[in-house]
Amino acid sequence: MAAFLIKRLLWLAVTLWIVFTITFFLMRSVPGGPFDAERRPPPDIERNLKRRFNFDKPIGVQYLMELGKVVRGDLGVSYKKADFTVNQVVAQGFPVSASLGIFALTFAVVLGTFAGVISAVRRYSVWDFGLMSAATLGIAVPNFVLASLAIILLVFDIQLFPAAGWGSLRQMVLPALCLGAPFAGYIARLTRTGMMEVLSRDYIRTAYAKGLSERKVVIRHALRGAILPVVSYLGPATAGILTGSLVVEKIFLLPGMGTHFVEAALQRDYTLAMGMVLVYTLLLFTMNTLVDLSYAVIDPRVKME
């Protein structure tokens, strides 16, 4: 276990360095810069700004200076948000994005697993057809389309939820449902496939032969073996929820990291965009490592190497 974690930490350092390098040169290669605007500052002020943020130095020197700051944990100062460091912006936006992601993932896992189990147990029935049709629809409809339809129906027509904002449970429910719906569809299909395979095995027939109820057989014996594909999917699902939250946060005007990331990219705020990319990379790597560790907990036959 310790060797596995050490190896993962080394890969994390390499991955962050590669992501930093690619992001740094990609941002510098895009036309425009953080000080380009419709109303440009006077040349003297622009020259002083570039000197303050080291834009007057060669690109290689800028790269090494920025890399040194990141290694020390300093993501720099935002070019567009006066008096705010990138660390402060991340600290403000992370709780919002984390709460949204946790709610969306919880909704996707609970609803998807429940629908998959019902479909597998009641295979080829009306329940199976209806739930799998809903899962396919959830996968096919992009979350920004779903969010737009949900706002029209549940905000303007029924007036059940507020249209935007953050701070209460009612403001959190609708963005989380729209963000988690496609992943609930994938999890439902994976759970159904896994359950149908497990339910045909000998030890399940033995459990039925011993007189156990269907609920005990499904929950105690079948679900544990059928859930492994879902656990494997949680890593990509987390990645999808993090990247999908950029659009959902913008639609519902949530002050999360996704909103800051979109604004940073549009305004060429190099340091803020770089900070967001590195934080997202760190989160994805951490979630994938946790998913790998969970294999050994769920299935003792899996060994960490």
Side-chain angles (χ1 to χ4, degrees), residues 250-293:
K250 197 67 179 173
I251 291 175
F252 289 97
L253 298 178
L254 306 182
M257 291 200 311
T259 301
H260 292 309
F261 187 27
V262 173
E263 292 177 355
L266 294 176
Q267 297 176 355
R268 306 286 195 275
D269 192 341
Y270 292 157
T271 50
L272 184 55
M274 176 66 79
M276 293 298 170
V277 169
L278 292 178
V279 170
Y280 277 124
T281 305
L282 179 62
L283 289 175
L284 292 180
F285 202 95
T286 303
M287 287 305 301
N288 281 325
T289 302
L290 291 177
V291 168
D292 290 343
L293 288 173

Side-chain angles (χ1 to χ4, degrees), residues 171-191:
Q171 292 172 319
M172 191 185 301
V173 170
L174 200 55
L177 294 181
C178 295
L179 184 59
F183 304 97
Y186 282 113
I187 291 174
R189 296 180 71 85
L190 286 172
T191 305

